[in-house]
Amino acid sequence: MATAEDLHLLQSAGAAFARLVQEPAPPPAPAAARELPPMPPAAPPRAAARPRPPFEVYDQVYDDDLVPGPRRRERVVEPTAAERWIAARMKATPGDWIARAGMALLLFGVAFLCKYSIDQGWVTPALRVAAGAAVGAALIVLGVRTHRNARAFSGLFLGGGIGAWYTATFAAYALYHLVPFPVAFALMAATTAAAFGLALWSGIETLAVVAALGGIGTPFVLSTGHASVPGFVAYLMCILGWTSGTYLARRWRVSFAVATGGTWMALMAPLEALPAGGAAAGARTALTVGFVAVLLAGWSVFLLPRAWPARFQPSPREEAAHAWWARAMSVTAERVRTAEGYLAVAASFFVVWMSVGALWELSARAGGYLGLGVVAVTALAYAALRTRLPALARAHAFAGAAAGAASLALVSRNVPEAVMALVVYGALLHAGVRRERLGRPTRLLAHVVMALAATAAAQALVTPGDLASRLALLSVAGCAYAVAAKRVSGVGRPLRDVYRLGGHAFVALLLWALSAPLPHTGAWLAVSLAAFAAALCWLERQPRSAPVPGRPVDGAAALALHVVALVTVLGFCGPFGSGAFAWLNPRAGAELALIGSLAAGAVLAPAGRRRWGLAGAGYALWLWTAADQFDGLTGAAAFTTGVWAATGLILLLAALRRREQGAVRVAIGTLALVCAKLFLVDLASLDPIWRILVFLGVGAAFLGVSYAVRTAWLPAPPPEPDPPAGVSLAGH
């Protein structure tokens, strides 16, 4: 329904049109006399136009000069969540995917049409091949024509045309046998070259990927089973060289990765069917050259852009990929580039190393010597890049260090030799990391090498009597002590303590390996462990200024060794036997050695609970040893009671003299234990004569000691005060 405003506008327009038709236009009136029809109130100013999404649909907007009236408000259709996800993840709009789907449907339709025409006998094989080639040419022409205005369609047309040419050539050779092998190979090679050229011209990386896949697959698609291996390798080198140059020019990562990986897989294919006789050496040599070329390609594409960044500038897509990985891993983009360099260098060398070894069917030792050659090459690269490109130099150092560890394991003749070689190598790596600052990955590799060597050494103890196994244990312990030194290793103090504990553990294992072949293994092991624990207690007391300063971990290791020695004494020494003399048997030696070690630890330990704990453990073990050594003899209970009473009385005398209240309490507790044993055990188990002797002897000893120390129970007299200055005591 028309409003008053609309009627007013129509009347004004009609009156103006009638004046223009009936009479000439009057001269323009002065500005003061010009009258304008009343206009509707002005609309409020619109807000600034917001940026449009990449795919929004707008209604038509009328031009004010052509259609009078107010401007219609724009209606914006917001993209859905699915459309936003596709645009963000797939780097394309729904329109792009519709276009791709349309191209795919078009190609399927053409394929169905061709099949139908073939079934009906409309076209001959030659006409079919020509039609396929013509369709490919038409698609390429469309791709070239639409490149400027519709880049997405251009890429689809160009890729479809290249695919049509590959298909037509394959059909002409393999299906219809219209052309011989040289012509078909030349046509496919020309198609590959055209695809690379179109990729460089259009800047579309997908075409380069298609060209790489098609070029590498050409020899396999057209294979007759009698191809020359050197020619095959030369052709693949052309594909790899072209792709490497494309990467350096455009920094296309995907196409280069596809070409490098595809070339390596293609070179691995002839390994199962190498020619016999003298041709085998030539084929292996050609394949070796191919593998080295793969190494150089993977090596140079990361070396050249970093050596000459002004000439080989990174592409925005590569920078975006680095930024994405940096955000995903919560690191900097520089850290991502460094990790990429490590991966590229190490993977290139190791893949080629393993491939050449499999190609020439090398033995383990020969492969190890080849790995030492890899170490030499990476060492030279590190020396050349050390000052100019430190990050890439450290990547070569890591690759060389890993190759060195694997090579030493391969050239060793047995497990103990491998352990000795690896553990020395790990210690040298720690020293090199501290001196040359080879980076955290190489330091981690040094830790891994030392851990693997230690694990192998522990597994080699199945034959503890073997001299090589003992040398392996000794080398692990010595290298662990070397890494624990501050001047050798660049690791922090906690890790140095771990290595020091590892050295202690492997010395203990070495002692077990030395004791295993001997008779009375448990006794010898307990004696050696007790002596080692006493040495560690002494080492802990060494000041920092000593050549080998002590550490708290030495005391912890000594305590662990005491426990192991005690378990060995209690469980693995066995009884001393009826034919042995008391206190003159291996079990007694082990027990006394452990008691002496505990006593030494108590003397060397600082005052506190640890000292009292060691002393108490040694004292209790002595009482148990006395009972153990007299067990089985006639009057064993009487001898045990006598030794316990003598021990308690001697301790009481010493404690009273030194005024050690804690030792006095222990002595009195021992004497109380003796009294309890007299009435609860000895009274019922001893023969009358032994009962009389033990009661008389212990009673007399108690009386004699109590009379000797009757004044020792008095408190110590208070110290006399010093006389005042200037006062003499001579007259008193």
Side-chain angles (χ1 to χ4, degrees):
M1 182 175 182
T3 61
E5 180 182 348
D6 296 332
L7 294 175
H8 175 74
L9 291 174
L10 291 175
Q11 291 174 1
S12 300
F17 181 79
R19 287 195 297 271
L20 289 174
V21 174
Q22 295 178 2
E23 53 186 50
R34 187 179 302 170
E35 295 182 0
L36 296 176
M39 298 295 294
R46 293 184 299 171
R50 61 181 179 85
R52 298 180 180 179
F55 42 90
E56 289 184 347
V57 180
Y58 294 92
D59 287 344
Q60 181 181 2
V61 180
Y62 293 92
D63 195 339
D64 292 341
D65 296 335
L66 300 178
V67 181
R71 180 187 296 270
R72 294 179 60 185
R73 183 173 299 176
E74 295 178 353
R75 182 173 61 87
V76 180
V77 179
E78 295 290 342
T80 63
E83 291 173 337
R84 291 194 186 95
W85 187 88
I86 292 175
R89 303 296 183 204
M90 304 299 181
K91 305 299 181 184
T93 64
D96 297 334
W97 285 102
I98 291 174
R100 296 172 185 176
M103 175 58 67
L105 293 176
L106 177 62
L107 292 178
F108 274 108
V110 172
F112 293 150
L113 177 61
C114 293
K115 185 179 184 305
Y116 182 77
S117 64
I118 293 172
D119 294 339
Q120 297 298 322
W122 293 350
V123 290
T124 62
L127 187 59
R128 299 169 195 168
V129 173
V135 170
L139 290 175
I140 289 177
V141 170
L142 286 175
V144 173
R145 295 291 300 271
T146 59
H147 176 68
R148 178 174 298 180
N149 298 327
R151 184 181 176 87
F153 286 93
S154 175
L156 290 174
F157 289 141
L158 293 175
I162 295 298
W165 279 357
Y166 276 125
T167 305
T169 305
F170 172 75
Y173 171 74
L175 299 181
Y176 306 125
H177 308 287
L178 298 177
V179 294
F181 174 79
V183 176
F185 187 83
L187 289 176
M188 283 218 173
T191 303
T192 301
F196 274 120
L198 290 173
L200 291 176
W201 172 79
S202 62
I204 300 176
E205 186 182 5
T206 306
L207 295 177
V209 175
V210 172
L213 292 175
I216 294 173
T218 294
F220 298 95
V221 171
L222 304 179
S223 176
T224 60
H226 303 284
S228 171
V229 175
F232 172 70
V233 172
Y235 171 76
L236 291 178
M237 293 306 98
C238 294
I239 300 294
L240 182 62
W242 185 268
T243 311
S244 301
T246 304
Y247 175 81
L248 295 176
R250 295 296 183 92
R251 306 303 294 273
W252 286 343
R253 302 158 58 89
V254 177
S255 61
F256 174 73
V258 169
T260 306
T263 302
W264 176 73
M265 295 178 65
L267 290 173
M268 294 292 292
L271 295 182
E272 299 180 357
L274 288 174
R284 285 190 170 94
T285 303
L287 290 174
T288 302
V289 173
F291 286 127
V292 173
V294 171
L295 166 65
L296 293 177
W299 193 15
S300 60
V301 296
F302 281 92
L303 179 62
L304 294 178
R306 288 164 174 79
W308 291 280
R311 186 172 182 178
F312 302 101
Q313 297 182 356
S315 64
R317 183 176 297 179
E318 186 172 1
E319 294 293 332
H322 289 161
W324 186 89
W325 279 106
R327 290 193 301 269
M329 303 178 66
S330 301
V331 295
T332 61
E334 184 63 28
R335 182 71 62 85
V336 173
R337 285 190 288 269
T338 301
E340 189 179 38
Y342 271 88
L343 180 62
V345 173
S348 300
F349 278 100
F350 271 87
V351 166
V352 174
W353 178 20
M354 296 296 107
S355 302
V356 173
L359 171 63
W360 291 95
E361 299 178 353
L362 300 178
S363 62
R365 298 197 71 184
Y369 291 125
L370 180 62
L372 294 178
V374 173
V375 175
V377 173
T378 52
L380 292 175
Y382 170 77
L385 302 172
R386 178 184 175 188
T387 56
R388 185 174 182 181
L389 298 171
L392 202 57
R394 288 192 290 268
H396 285 82
F398 173 77
S407 300
L408 290 176
L410 291 175
V411 300
S412 301
R413 292 174 296 180
N414 48 49
V415 174
E417 283 190 5
V419 168
M420 288 185 281
L422 286 179
V423 74
V424 173
Y425 184 71
L428 292 177
L429 280 182
H430 277 293
V433 169
R434 181 181 181 274
R435 180 177 178 181
E436 297 292 333
R437 300 186 181 276
L438 300 179
R440 184 177 298 176
T442 307
R443 178 182 297 169
L444 179 61
L445 177 65
H447 291 311
V448 172
V449 169
M450 295 285 286
L452 291 177
T455 304
Q459 291 179 351
L461 287 177
V462 293
T463 55
D466 186 13
L467 178 61
S469 299
R470 299 174 187 176
L471 293 177
L473 293 174
L474 181 61
S475 63
V476 172
C479 291
Y481 288 142
V483 176
K486 184 177 182 181
R487 295 184 178 181
V488 174
S489 177
V491 299
R493 179 169 179 174
L495 276 178
R496 293 205 304 272
D497 289 343
V498 171
Y499 275 102
R500 191 155 181 159
L501 285 174
H504 298 335
F506 274 92
V507 168
L509 290 176
L510 177 61
L511 295 176
W512 177 79
L514 293 173
S515 304
L518 301 176
H520 309 290
T521 300
W524 285 110
L525 179 60
V527 170
S528 58
L529 291 180
F532 185 40
L536 290 183
C537 291
W538 172 83
L539 180 62
E540 185 188 10
R541 299 290 294 172
Q542 298 304 303
R544 292 187 177 182
S545 58
V548 183
R551 302 286 284 276
V553 294
D554 298 331
L559 180 60
L561 290 174
H562 281 138
V563 173
V564 174
L566 179 60
V567 172
T568 305
V569 167
L570 297 179
F572 300 98
C573 286
F576 60 86
S578 59
F581 293 99
W583 302 96
L584 296 176
N585 54 78
R587 183 183 180 93
E591 294 169 348
L592 294 176
L594 181 55
I595 292 170
S597 179
L598 291 171
V603 172
L604 294 172
R609 293 182 178 179
R610 181 180 171 189
R611 169 179 288 182
W612 283 108
L614 291 173
Y619 187 77
L621 182 60
W622 163 254
L623 297 180
W624 180 85
T625 300
D628 179 58
Q629 290 300 313
F630 288 118
D631 188 20
L633 301 179
T634 304
F639 288 115
T640 302
T641 302
V643 172
W644 285 10
T647 302
L649 293 174
I650 293 173
L651 179 62
L652 180 62
L653 292 174
L656 290 174
R657 183 175 181 181
R658 298 178 59 88
R659 296 187 179 277
E660 291 286 349
Q661 188 66 27
V664 170
R665 293 173 181 172
V666 173
I668 293 177
T670 305
L671 297 179
L673 178 63
V674 170
C675 294
K677 184 176 181 299
L678 283 173
F679 288 97
L680 298 178
V681 178
D682 299 345
L683 188 62
S685 62
L686 289 177
D687 294 336
I689 186 63
W690 286 105
R691 188 185 312 155
I692 295 170
L693 291 176
V694 71
F695 271 79
L696 291 177
V698 172
F702 278 21
L703 289 175
V705 171
S706 63
Y707 179 79
V709 298
R710 63 187 184 279
T711 60
W713 302 99
L714 299 176
E720 297 182 0
D722 296 334
V727 177
S728 176
L729 301 178
H732 292 277

